[in-house]
Amino acid sequence: MKIAVIGTGYVGLVSGTCFAETGNIVTCVDIDQAKIDRLTQGEITIYEPGLEKMFLKNLRDGRLKFTTDLNEGILEAQIVFLALPTPPGEDGSADLKYILGVADKIGKLLEDYKVIVDKSTVPVGTADKVKAAIDKHAKVEFDVVSNPEFLREGVALEDFMKPDRVVIGASSERAKKVMGDLYAPFVRQGNPVIFMDEKSAELTKYAANSFLATKISFMNEIAQLCERLGADVDMVRRGIGSDNRIGKRFLFPGIGYGGSCFPKDVKALIMSSEEVNYDFQILKSVERVNEIQKTHLIPKIQAFFNNDLKEKHFALWGLAFKPNTDDIREAPSLNIIQSLLKSGATVSAYDPEAMNNVKNQLGNTIKYALNPYDALKGADALIIATEWSEFRTPDFEQMNYLLKNKVIFDGRNLYSSQNEALQGYNYFCIGKNN
Ligand SMILES: NC(=O)c1ccc[n+]([C@@H]2O[C@H](COP(=O)([O-])OP(=O)(O)OC[C@H]3O[C@@H](n4cnc5c(N)ncnc54)[C@H](O)[C@@H]3O)[C@@H](O)[C@H]2O)c1
C-alpha cells in the first residue's frame, strides 16, 4: 500500500519505518525542514533502540521517503496518518490546532478516495471535527478513522511490530477493510485488531494512559506510607503483584511519571470530563501525587545537608524521563535540577542519550559529564533520576574514590541496601528506611 505519515516525530517516524518494513511505500511529511533534510540524508533524528537500522534499510530500499510538501506526501497515498502533536493548551485540554490545520489543508488537496487516520492522542469527538474540516473543501469521498497508538518509547519498535492489540475506531466498512489489511502482518501471532466506533477508540487511549498513571501514583503513595510506617515497598510490591488481578507490571515506585504522554493525557482527560460536567476525582489526585513525587528526594537531600545546599555539588545520573530514550519532556530530572539550582547548589549530569536535548533546554546552567564517573568528581552526593541499565551495577570502588561523600539519593531503587558494595554509604531510596 502507499501510505503518508504527517508528522515525523517519535510516533510518525516509528510508524512510518515499521509500515515500510512490511513492504508498504511510505512518505513521511514534516514542516521541520532541518529534520526532513537530516532524515533524507540517512541521519536518524531520535534515539530509539533498533530504529536506525530499520530506518536505513527501508530508506536504502526506496520504501521510505521524506518531504516537507504535504501535497507530494499524500498525492498517491491510500492511507494518510496524522501523527501530529496534541500538546496541552492553556487550560490543559489537548490543543487540536496542528491536527485541524492539516485536516483543513488535506481537504483542499484530496483528488481521490483516501482513509485519513488520527494516530495522535486526541479527545473524544476529534474524528468528527477532522471529518468536518476535510469536508469543508473535499470534492471526493474519504473516511476518517481513529487508530490510537500505544507504543512505548524505548521499546517502540517491538510494540509497533508486535502490538498487544490494534484499536481501530471506524464506522465505514470500506475503511475497516483497508485498516484490517494494513495491520494484518503485525498481528499474525493472533493478537486482536479491535474494531469499535471512533469515540470509543479515542477514549480507549486516554483510559489506558490514565489507568497506568493511576497505578504509578498509587504505588508512589504506598511508598510514602512505607517510609512513614517502616515497611519495605519492594516487599509490598511483590506481595500484591503476584495477584493476577493486580499484575506485576507498573508497580515500581519512583520519582513520578514524565514523558510526552502521561502528564498531558491525564490533564486532557480531566479537562474533557469537566467539559461534560464530570469531576474526575481520581485523576486529579493522580496528577497531584505525581507533582509531589517528582521532587520527593529534595526534602531528603535538604535534611541530610542540614537545609543548606549552597555551594554543594551534586552528580546526577539520568536525564531522560525513562531509560532507552532521549526524550526529556516532563522528565523528573528537570524538576530536581531546578530545585537544586534554586537552593544554590551546582549539578554535573550524565545521561547516555539525552544530554543534547538537555543542553538545548538548560544551556550552561549545569555541567555535562563525559561519562557516569566523570559526573562524580568532587560531588557531595549522587542523585539517580533514570533507571538506565548501565547504572545498575556500577564500579563502586571508582565511585568511592571520586565522590566527596559516600551518599546516594536513588529515585529509582536501583540498589539493595544489603549490597556489600554500599557498606559505608548513606543510601536513600523510595519507600524504605535503610
Ligand atoms: N511519543 C510517544 O511515546 C507517543 C505514544 C503514543 C501516542 N503519542 C501521541 O502521538 C502524537 C505525536 O506524538 P510525538 O511524540 O510523535 O510528537 P513529536 O512532537 O515527537 O512529533 C510531532 C511532529 O509533528 C511535526 N509537525 C508539527 N506540525 C506539523 C504540520 N503542520 N505538518 C507536518 N508536521 C508537523 C513536528 O515538527 C514534529 O516532528 C501525540 O498526540 C502523542 O500524544 C505519542
Side-chain angles (χ1 to χ4, degrees), residues 92-204:
S93 60
D95 188 345
L96 291 179
K97 70 171 181 254
Y98 301 96
I99 301 270
L100 296 180
V102 169
D104 188 74
K105 285 184 190 150
I106 289 175
K108 293 174 188 155
L109 297 170
L110 277 187
E111 289 183 1
D112 53 7
Y113 174 79
K114 294 187 198 306
V115 180
I116 317 297
V117 187
D118 269 342
K119 202 162 229 343
S120 299
T121 303
V122 290
V124 173
T126 302
D128 289 342
K129 289 183 184 168
V130 169
K131 200 178 253 174
I134 298 174
D135 219 11
K136 255 194 313 188
H137 312 287
K139 296 184 179 68
V140 294
E141 270 187 63
F142 67 94
D143 280 308
V144 174
V145 165
S146 168
N147 169 220
E149 181 49 56
F150 296 95
L151 66 78
R152 295 163 296 166
E153 287 177 20
V155 279
L157 242 54
E158 200 183 313
D159 282 348
F160 202 95
M161 294 304 291
K162 290 180 186 168
D164 288 342
R165 76 319 204 173
V166 175
V167 168
I168 295 174
S171 33
S172 134
E173 291 306 319
R174 190 176 179 186
K176 279 188 208 170
K177 166 89 175 63
V178 171
M179 295 301 286
D181 289 348
L182 175 68
Y183 275 109
F186 297 90
V187 290
R188 289 178 60 246
Q189 285 178 336
N191 287 349
V193 176
I194 308 171
F195 288 98
M196 56 182 81
D197 63 277
E198 296 84 341
K199 286 183 176 168
S200 302
E202 289 163 341
L203 188 53
T204 298

Side-chain angles (χ1 to χ4, degrees), residues 6-13 29-32 35 46 70 82-87 98-99 101-102 105 119-122 148-153 205 209 260-261 264-265 321-322 327 329:
I6 320 300
T8 314
Y10 283 86
V11 168
L13 188 56
V29 181
D30 206 287
I31 42 165
D32 184 338
K35 191 179 273 192
I46 55 169
L70 183 64
L82 307 181
L84 293 156
T86 46
Y98 301 96
I99 301 270
V102 169
K105 285 184 190 150
K119 202 162 229 343
S120 299
T121 303
V122 290
E149 181 49 56
F150 296 95
L151 66 78
R152 295 163 296 166
E153 287 177 20
K205 174 66 192 179
N209 275 0
S260 66
C261 294
K264 92 172 163 56
D265 294 349
F321 84 94
K322 67 173 182 178
D327 198 339
R329 292 178 277 188

